[in-house]
Amino acid sequence: MESQKYNKLKENVEHGDFTFPYIWYYTELPDYYTSFPMHWHEEMEIINVFEGEMNININLTNHVIHKGEIAVIKPGELHSFRQYKNSQCKFLSLLFHPCLLYNNLSDSTAMRFITPFFENKITGPSIIIPETPGYQEILDNVDRSFEIYDQKQSYYELELKAKLFDLIYLILSRCCTSDNYQKNLKASTSRNIKTVIDYIQANYNTCISISRLAELLNLSEHYFMRYFKVHIGITCIEFINDYRLNMAAKLLSETSKPINEIGTDVGITNISYFNRLFKKKFNVTPKEYRFKYHKIE
C-alpha cells in the first residue's frame, strides 16, 4: 500500500528493455526545462557531467556537481536537478535495474554487499570528485561502459553487465565504509518529504495551503516551512510554483490550449503573475516557449 501512496512521485518510465533494463540518456540543462522536480525510481542512476555544472539534490542533500564529477543515485533515493546559476550543463545518465546484478536469492555476494549497498546500509559518497579514492578507475569504467553501449558490438550486453559488477566493486572497495551501517538519512524524514511532494503533485492544479501541508506531518506551519527548506533546499512555495511551471511547459509544447487557460490548469489563475514566474524560470515568455518547442502540427 505504501508504494501505491507514492505513485505520483515515482517516475513510471521503463528504462531500457525489460529483458535488459539498462540504458544511457544524454541531457542538456537547460533545454526544455531548467529543472527536474523531486522524484525516485527503482533503477540505480549514475550521472557523468562532461560540461558545465548543475545543482543536484540527492536524498534531501543539495550538491553542486561540476564537469568531470559523477553522481551516484541508489534505487529509491529521492533526487532532483536544477540549473546552477546561468550555467549550461551537459551530462550522460546511466540507469539500470538492480536485477541485473542478482543471480539468485541465496547469492552470498548479493546478501553481503549488493543488497546492503542498494539499501543505503553501507555509506558512500553521492558525488564522486577527483579527490575521491578510486575516482579515475570509476570514471574510466563509466566512460568505457558508454562506449560499449554506444557501439553495441557482439556480446555487448555481457560486457556491460561485467562493467556493472566492476563499478559496484570499485565504489564499495574504494569509496565506502563497509563497517558503517548507519543510514545517511532517517527513513521517517524521507517518508515525510515523499508524502508532501506526493500531495503537491496530486493537487498542483488546485489551491494548496501551507496549513494543509503542515497538517499532513502534524507540524506547525512555521516549523513545516523551515523543515521543508532545510531538506529540499528551496521554500515550499518555490517548489509548488516550480512544479506548476514544469506542467505548464509540458502543456505549451504538447497542446494548443490558450496560455491563460494553461495558467489556470496548473493552478496559477493570475495571468500576469503566471507570465512573470514563467519568464523568470525559462528566460522566455510562455508564448516564446510555445513557438520554440511546440510539437503539434
Side-chain angles (χ1 to χ4, degrees):
M1 291 298 292
E2 188 171 81
S3 62
Q4 294 176 356
K5 184 178 179 181
Y6 301 131
N7 276 345
K8 291 288 184 179
L9 188 59
K10 181 183 177 184
E11 183 182 59
N12 292 310
V13 176
E14 184 176 293
H15 299 288
D17 185 88
F18 75 95
T19 62
F20 192 72
Y22 180 112
I23 195 167
W24 282 90
Y25 293 108
Y26 167 78
T27 305
E28 291 186 20
L29 194 70
D31 188 5
Y32 287 102
Y33 48 81
T34 58
S35 62
F36 198 85
M38 194 70 73
H39 64 289
W40 65 276
H41 39 66
E42 295 177 353
E43 294 81 7
M44 181 165 176
E45 184 168 2
I46 304 293
I47 294 175
N48 181 14
V49 175
F50 62 88
E51 184 176 316
E53 54 196 354
M54 69 174 173
N55 182 282
I56 182 169
N57 186 305
I58 303 175
N59 247 3
L60 310 181
T61 300
N62 279 306
H63 309 269
V64 177
I65 182 170
H66 305 84
K67 176 181 178 180
E69 297 179 352
I70 298 168
V72 178
I73 304 169
K74 296 176 184 175
E77 286 191 327
L78 287 165
H79 57 287
S80 64
F81 314 109
R82 182 178 299 276
Q83 183 181 17
Y84 179 69
K85 297 182 178 178
N86 292 319
S87 176
Q88 184 179 44
C89 187
K90 297 180 181 180
F91 58 96
L92 291 167
S93 300
L94 162 62
L95 286 98
F96 67 91
H97 198 280
C99 68
L100 284 174
L101 299 181
Y102 288 98
N103 292 323
N104 56 65
L105 293 177
S106 61
D107 181 354
S108 64
T109 59
M111 290 188 292
R112 292 176 59 198
F113 308 118
I114 296 175
T115 297
F117 174 71
F118 283 154
E119 293 180 352
N120 217 19
K121 294 177 180 177
I122 298 178
T123 59
S126 294
I127 307 296
I128 297 174
I129 62 176
E131 292 74 26
T132 303
Y135 165 80
Q136 192 58 53
E137 293 173 283
I138 293 169
L139 181 63
D140 290 344
N141 176 290
V142 172
D143 287 343
R144 177 57 186 152
S145 295
F146 176 73
E147 290 177 5
I148 297 166
Y149 180 83
D150 189 46
Q151 295 168 4
K152 289 184 173 63
Q153 297 180 358
S154 299
Y155 313 114
Y156 78 95
E157 295 97 337
L158 282 175
E159 191 171 4
L160 286 175
K161 192 167 183 176
K163 284 293 179 185
L164 285 183
F165 278 107
D166 187 45
L167 177 63
I168 300 301
Y169 162 75
L170 288 171
I171 294 174
L172 284 170
S173 63
R174 305 292 193 268
C175 309
C176 292
T177 306
S178 58
D179 60 349
N180 186 349
Y181 273 61
Q182 294 297 319
K183 292 187 178 181
N184 294 324
L185 179 71
K186 289 184 178 179
S188 59
T189 302
S190 183
R191 285 196 300 269
N192 285 345
I193 296 298
K194 285 182 177 181
T195 297
V196 172
I197 295 176
D198 180 62
Y199 182 88
I200 291 170
Q201 293 183 341
N203 298 278
Y204 71 92
N205 57 346
T206 66
C207 179
I208 300 176
S209 68
I210 297 298
S211 60
R212 173 55 182 147
L213 296 177
E215 183 183 312
L216 292 173
L217 305 186
N218 294 317
L219 300 175
S220 69
E221 291 184 39
H222 178 72
Y223 185 81
F224 167 78
M225 289 187 291
R226 289 184 57 219
Y227 180 87
F228 191 94
K229 183 163 185 182
V230 164
H231 293 295
I232 297 296
I234 58 176
T235 68
C236 188
I237 297 300
E238 288 172 331
F239 182 90
I240 293 170
N241 284 336
D242 191 66
Y243 187 80
R244 285 170 168 166
L245 292 171
N246 281 338
M247 295 300 101
K250 181 178 175 66
L251 291 173
L252 286 166
S253 65
E254 297 180 357
T255 75
S256 297
K257 279 189 172 186
I259 291 173
N260 62 330
E261 286 188 21
I262 287 177
T264 301
D265 286 349
V266 300
I268 306 175
T269 56
N270 186 312
I271 187 62
S272 61
Y273 182 57
F274 170 69
N275 286 332
R276 188 162 66 251
L277 287 177
F278 196 94
K279 177 73 179 289
K280 183 178 179 181
K281 176 177 170 66
F282 293 101
N283 296 318
V284 292
T285 65
K287 184 177 180 180
E288 291 168 336
Y289 186 95
R290 168 168 276 170
F291 179 78
K292 186 175 182 180
Y293 296 116
H294 199 214
K295 301 174 184 176
I296 306 298
E297 291 292 339

